[in-house]
Amino acid sequence: MARKPTPTPTPLAPAAADTPAHPREPGPSPRAGLTYAKAGVDLLSKDSFTEGLETLLRRTHGPRVIPNPGGFAGLFRLDYNERLFARNYKDPVLVACADGVGTKLRLAIELGVYDTLGIDLVAMNVNDMIVQGAEPLFFLDYIAIGKVDRPVLDALVRGVVAGCQTAGCALLGGETAEMPGLYQPGDFDLAGFAVGVMDLDRAVNPIRVRPGDVVLGLASSGVHSNGYTLVRSIVRQAKLDLHAPAPELAPAPPKRAARPSPKGAADTPTLGQALLTPTRIYAPSITRLLRSYRVKKTVSGMAHITGSGMSGNLVRALHPGVDAVVDRAAWPVPPLFRLLQRAGGVDEDEMRRVFNMGIGYCLIVRPSFADSIAERLTKLGETVHTIGKIVTGSGRVIER
Amino acid sequence: MARKPTPTPTPLAPAAADTPAHPREPGPSPRAGLTYAKAGVDLLSKDSFTEGLETLLRRTHGPRVIPNPGGFAGLFRLDYNERLFARNYKDPVLVACADGVGTKLRLAIELGVYDTLGIDLVAMNVNDMIVQGAEPLFFLDYIAIGKVDRPVLDALVRGVVAGCQTAGCALLGGETAEMPGLYQPGDFDLAGFAVGVMDLDRAVNPIRVRPGDVVLGLASSGVHSNGYTLVRSIVRQAKLDLHAPAPELAPAPPKRAARPSPKGAADTPTLGQALLTPTRIYAPSITRLLRSYRVKKTVSGMAHITGSGMSGNLVRALHPGVDAVVDRAAWPVPPLFRLLQRAGGVDEDEMRRVFNMGIGYCLIVRPSFADSIAERLTKLGETVHTIGKIVTGSGRVIER
């Protein structure tokens, strides 16, 4: 889409990002007569939106992001000659993912909550990439909307910034497309794109998985970003009230809280809030964990639990010589899923096929390291359950 | 979105891509009761769509794409240790772009032509990245649609494949999101993400531009991908018939044709076809040109002409000490733009601000190399015009 006139260009130089790598670009300027403005595209609004973003984006930039004000693309230096890069990566492979957030955004639009979808967007991309041992480097986003709405766009990008900060990747830039007629008033879509790097000989690879390995599950934060078409169908058919406080969904007190959080109505989430809870980003924990265990290769496989549930995703970490036997009773299913199940009359197998049911990420680990890995992940902030084991088999996930 | 069960996993190995890096993924399987299928998501259709794509994607894969069947992400080896990479890039910088095709897709949907939008999508991304001297490496796409329509999706991806083949980048994968309710029947949106690489010390940088430099313009193939909201407004208001043959738009006979193409009604494009002509991808010419002139730095700046027209884009190649003086009469404006201008009663300045008016890409070059660069680009298949010059100034583009 059209770009804005460049501010004072800075010679390309690494580090010390005084200006952002890639501000969003507005369209052509409006004029009299049959013009863009009369055709429905409001460009001044988009201009000021773009300029306000620069500060936001900068929060995610580390020393490898090269300022490129007014440039057409975001720049990320690989530190090819830096000792740090050379020490970490002998045979670097770039890993790239693209993903959206699915119909969770319809729920967000209904509830008017826009600042968490960006976290889901980052999560869906980086959680996929870390599965093979890649470390996220940078992210770009695409937002398409019918009519520029500054507060909405601002909130969306703030969410992406927050997600990138958590994931430890640089938000290099993005594209905001105003598409009158393609989107109904108030509607929009989001797409995200992440690039990471991993060392080829340390990549996590299904062939490593052995009978005897243990399956660990990391708790999800909620529904995450899959299954929302069914969620919304249940909400509609059962006439659930998204705005009513749902005490049965109140979170357990946080682990190691300095003091217990005060109880009261203010703490009770509504069903809508619980459903919109952003997808947990596992990248910081997994990246740090793999740095500890890097040489020993004690993690033989991982899976991000998205659509198709546990079985549909864990299966991708297996090879045809093994099965994963998962014990459904090995972790508590959060009340939110039971609420949806009851309201929709959904049978257990269908629930398990569509939803994560409380486990958002799995690791398959060598049995003698299972305890220490679980402990390390717990210290890194995850809630860890031992949920199954690997046996000789034929590449299936068996849930009991 | 949900992933399909993995086929027999192959150990990660570089080169010889027998299977694609990243097949598209379908959603969970349909079952009785309140299920995904009843909620409106048709997954079997998406499954078979996904499998058919693998062959298509493979056409774009070179030796650096690592097969990753069933994996969560596309993999691209940097050849860190290969002599080729080490010889070409001392200080590699990754360049990343995100872009859509804008409301050109509304026109394509109206006309039922889906196999060229993918070319526009690739063009909008890679044409931006080459402006700084980057070479495209890989591409991912995101398609969001209300209801999976296999022929439409197939055509869309075929277009992306064709664009990637022209641009010389690998289509690593993509995401297809089925979003009932967000899109009207028959509607969809496209987003593309491209990553390239360039050497930091050879990057094209505005500070190089000097008074006396010459501005070359490369002909566009048509409207490209900006201004379509105005185009559609003109078509509606002037009641233009998109399906009528428009003889005034018939292309000139190709240069150096072995024999002239036979004249006749079959060659006459309709207005719709002319408007849908895909954006020209300048990457192969520019990449080859820069390899020839790499040491001499005879190209001091470049610009991809998108929204905001010539002025809005060429200005980004300048620094505050120079102006670019562009002679509007220095190249022929293609008849398509005059047709739109007359039909819409649009004044010249507005046309120039919104449309490319026949020039899709500009290079600023050292005067003593202008002729040889123009000749080289012509041999590479471009139509080249000398359209202006650089003078001492204040960072403006002055069109006369």
Side-chain angles (χ1 to χ4, degrees):
Chain A
M1 311 311 291
R3 314 287 184 195
K4 77 178 180 197
T6 192
T8 307
T10 309
L12 293 180
D18 289 320
T19 42
H22 185 71
R24 281 165 196 287
E25 323 291 4
S29 32
R31 289 290 187 280
L34 191 62
T35 63
Y36 245 165
K38 289 190 177 178
V41 175
D42 176 1
L43 305 157
L44 288 178
S45 181
K46 197 171 172 195
D47 275 9
S48 24
F49 163 66
T50 303
E51 284 161 22
L53 282 183
E54 300 177 359
T55 312
L56 278 179
L57 259 65
R58 273 207 296 281
R59 290 187 199 158
T60 70
H61 290 175
R64 285 190 289 186
V65 175
I66 298 177
N68 191 22
F72 290 91
L75 307 179
F76 191 93
R77 191 174 183 192
L78 277 180
D79 289 340
Y80 195 95
N81 288 323
E82 294 296 326
R83 284 190 66 240
L84 180 66
F85 191 71
R87 182 171 73 235
N88 283 344
Y89 299 102
K90 286 189 305 194
D91 197 352
V93 172
L94 293 180
V95 180
C97 297
D99 211 343
V101 296
T103 49
K104 186 171 190 175
L105 63 79
R106 300 245 57 174
L107 182 66
I109 291 167
E110 281 175 45
L111 294 171
V113 175
Y114 303 105
D115 59 350
T116 54
L117 283 176
I119 300 172
D120 293 289
L121 189 68
V122 175
M124 290 306 284
N125 282 284
V126 305
N127 286 349
D128 275 353
M129 124 181 344
I130 60 177
V131 153
Q132 288 186 269
E135 181 175 337
L137 294 179
F138 59 81
F139 194 84
L140 283 87
D141 63 275
Y142 171 85
I143 304 172
I145 194 166
K147 189 172 168 53
V148 165
D149 179 328
R150 286 191 58 198
V152 168
L153 291 172
D154 186 70
L156 289 172
V157 176
R158 272 191 284 112
V160 178
V161 168
C164 286
Q165 286 175 303
T166 300
C169 57
L171 177 57
L172 283 193
E175 166 70 12
T176 303
E178 190 172 29
M179 314 263 271
L182 188 63
Y183 296 94
Q184 300 305 303
D187 282 356
F188 55 83
D189 198 9
L190 296 179
F193 168 57
V195 172
V197 64
M198 69 180 184
D199 215 332
L200 185 60
D201 66 349
R202 285 199 295 265
V204 175
N205 187 325
I207 56 167
R208 289 199 220 162
V209 176
R210 296 201 296 246
D213 283 350
V214 171
V215 184
L216 299 178
L218 307 187
S220 60
S221 58
V223 177
H224 280 189
S225 300
N226 290 90
Y228 279 86
T229 301
L230 181 54
V231 166
R232 295 173 60 244
S233 195
I234 292 171
V235 166
R236 262 193 323 268
Q237 287 209 15
K239 298 182 173 46
L240 298 180
D241 182 355
L242 293 172
H243 301 282
E248 68 271 37
L249 302 180
K255 289 174 183 265
R256 302 193 300 280
R259 37 182 155 263
S261 49
K263 303 274 181 233
D267 284 345
T268 309
T270 62
L271 175 59
Q273 286 167 334
L275 287 171
L276 268 195
T277 302
T279 306
R280 185 168 181 80
I281 294 174
Y282 298 100
S285 317
I286 297 300
T287 303
R288 287 190 188 93
L289 175 78
L290 293 181
R291 284 193 199 134
S292 316
Y293 287 90
R294 140 165 320 201
V295 179
K296 296 192 176 75
K297 291 191 182 173
T298 52
V299 175
S300 50
M302 292 187 283
H304 177 212
I305 308 305
T306 57
S308 307
M310 168 77 60
S311 293
N313 289 282
L314 185 56
V315 71
R316 304 176 76 195
L318 306 179
H319 61 80
V322 295
D323 286 347
V325 179
V326 172
D327 177 8
R328 287 180 173 180
W331 74 92
V333 174
L336 177 58
F337 295 102
R338 296 304 183 201
L339 186 157
L340 291 167
Q341 183 170 21
R342 276 193 313 270
V346 184
D347 72 47
E348 185 74 7
D349 285 346
E350 178 72 358
M351 288 296 293
R352 298 269 173 179
R353 253 188 308 272
V354 175
F355 296 116
N356 68 64
M357 299 297 270
I359 297 292
Y361 196 89
C362 292
L363 298 91
I364 303 173
V365 303
R366 296 294 181 232
S368 49
F369 289 92
D371 286 347
S372 53
I373 288 174
E375 189 184 325
R376 176 121 181 84
L377 286 167
T378 305
K379 285 193 175 127
L380 288 166
E382 302 298 337
T383 302
V384 187
H385 300 282
T386 302
I387 66 170
K389 60 184 191 285
I390 302 299
V391 299
T392 305
S394 52
R396 299 165 303 163
V397 174
I398 299 160
E399 293 188 48
R400 293 186 177 150
Chain B
M1 311 310 293
R3 314 286 182 196
K4 79 180 178 197
T6 191
T8 305
T10 309
L12 293 178
D18 291 318
T19 43
H22 186 70
R24 283 167 195 284
E25 323 290 4
S29 33
R31 289 288 187 280
L34 192 61
T35 63
Y36 245 164
K38 289 190 177 180
V41 174
D42 176 359
L43 305 156
L44 288 178
S45 182
K46 199 171 170 196
D47 275 7
S48 21
F49 163 67
T50 304
E51 284 161 22
L53 282 182
E54 299 177 1
T55 312
L56 277 179
L57 259 65
R58 274 208 294 282
R59 288 187 200 158
T60 69
H61 290 175
R64 285 190 290 186
V65 175
I66 298 177
N68 191 23
F72 292 91
L75 307 179
F76 191 93
R77 190 176 185 192
L78 276 180
D79 288 341
Y80 192 93
N81 289 322
E82 293 295 326
R83 285 190 67 240
L84 181 65
F85 191 71
R87 182 171 73 237
N88 283 345
Y89 298 102
K90 284 189 306 194
D91 197 351
V93 173
L94 294 180
V95 180
C97 296
D99 211 344
V101 294
T103 49
K104 186 172 190 174
L105 65 77
R106 300 246 57 172
L107 182 66
I109 290 168
E110 282 175 45
L111 294 172
V113 176
Y114 303 105
D115 60 349
T116 53
L117 283 177
I119 300 172
D120 293 291
L121 190 68
V122 175
M124 290 307 284
N125 282 284
V126 306
N127 286 350
D128 276 353
M129 127 180 343
I130 59 177
V131 153
Q132 288 185 268
E135 180 175 339
L137 294 178
F138 60 81
F139 194 85
L140 284 86
D141 64 274
Y142 171 85
I143 304 172
I145 194 165
K147 188 171 168 55
V148 165
D149 179 329
R150 286 192 58 197
V152 168
L153 291 172
D154 187 69
L156 289 172
V157 176
R158 273 190 283 111
V160 178
V161 167
C164 286
Q165 285 176 304
T166 300
C169 58
L171 177 56
L172 282 192
E175 166 71 12
T176 304
E178 189 171 29
M179 313 264 270
L182 188 63
Y183 296 95
Q184 301 306 302
D187 283 356
F188 55 84
D189 196 10
L190 296 180
F193 302 98
V195 172
V197 64
M198 68 180 186
D199 214 335
L200 185 59
D201 66 350
R202 286 200 294 266
V204 175
N205 187 325
I207 56 168
R208 289 199 220 163
V209 175
R210 296 201 295 244
D213 284 350
V214 170
V215 184
L216 300 177
L218 308 187
S220 61
S221 59
V223 177
H224 281 189
S225 301
N226 289 90
Y228 279 86
T229 302
L230 182 54
V231 166
R232 294 173 60 243
S233 196
I234 293 171
V235 166
R236 262 193 323 271
Q237 286 209 14
K239 297 181 175 43
L240 299 180
D241 182 358
L242 293 172
H243 302 282
E248 69 270 37
L249 302 181
K255 290 174 184 264
R256 302 191 300 280
R259 39 182 152 263
S261 50
K263 303 279 178 225
D267 283 347
T268 310
T270 63
L271 175 59
Q273 286 167 336
L275 287 171
L276 268 195
T277 302
T279 305
R280 184 168 181 80
I281 294 174
Y282 297 99
S285 317
I286 297 300
T287 303
R288 286 189 189 95
L289 175 77
L290 292 181
R291 284 194 199 133
S292 317
Y293 286 90
R294 146 168 310 212
V295 179
K296 295 190 176 75
K297 291 191 181 175
T298 52
V299 175
S300 51
M302 292 187 281
H304 178 212
I305 308 306
T306 58
S308 306
M310 168 78 59
S311 292
N313 290 281
L314 185 56
V315 71
R316 304 176 77 192
L318 306 179
H319 62 79
V322 296
D323 286 347
V325 179
V326 171
D327 178 8
R328 285 180 174 180
W331 73 93
V333 174
L336 177 58
F337 295 101
R338 296 306 184 201
L339 185 157
L340 291 167
Q341 183 170 22
R342 277 192 314 267
V346 183
D347 71 47
E348 184 74 9
D349 284 347
E350 178 73 358
M351 289 295 293
R352 298 268 173 180
R353 253 188 309 271
V354 175
F355 296 116
N356 68 65
M357 300 297 270
I359 297 292
Y361 196 89
C362 294
L363 297 93
I364 303 173
V365 304
R366 296 294 182 231
S368 49
F369 289 90
D371 286 346
S372 54
I373 289 174
E375 189 183 325
R376 176 121 181 85
L377 286 167
T378 305
K379 285 191 176 128
L380 288 166
E382 302 299 337
T383 302
V384 186
H385 301 281
T386 302
I387 66 171
K389 61 184 189 286
I390 302 299
V391 299
T392 305
S394 54
R396 300 166 301 164
V397 174
I398 299 159
E399 293 189 48
R400 293 186 177 150

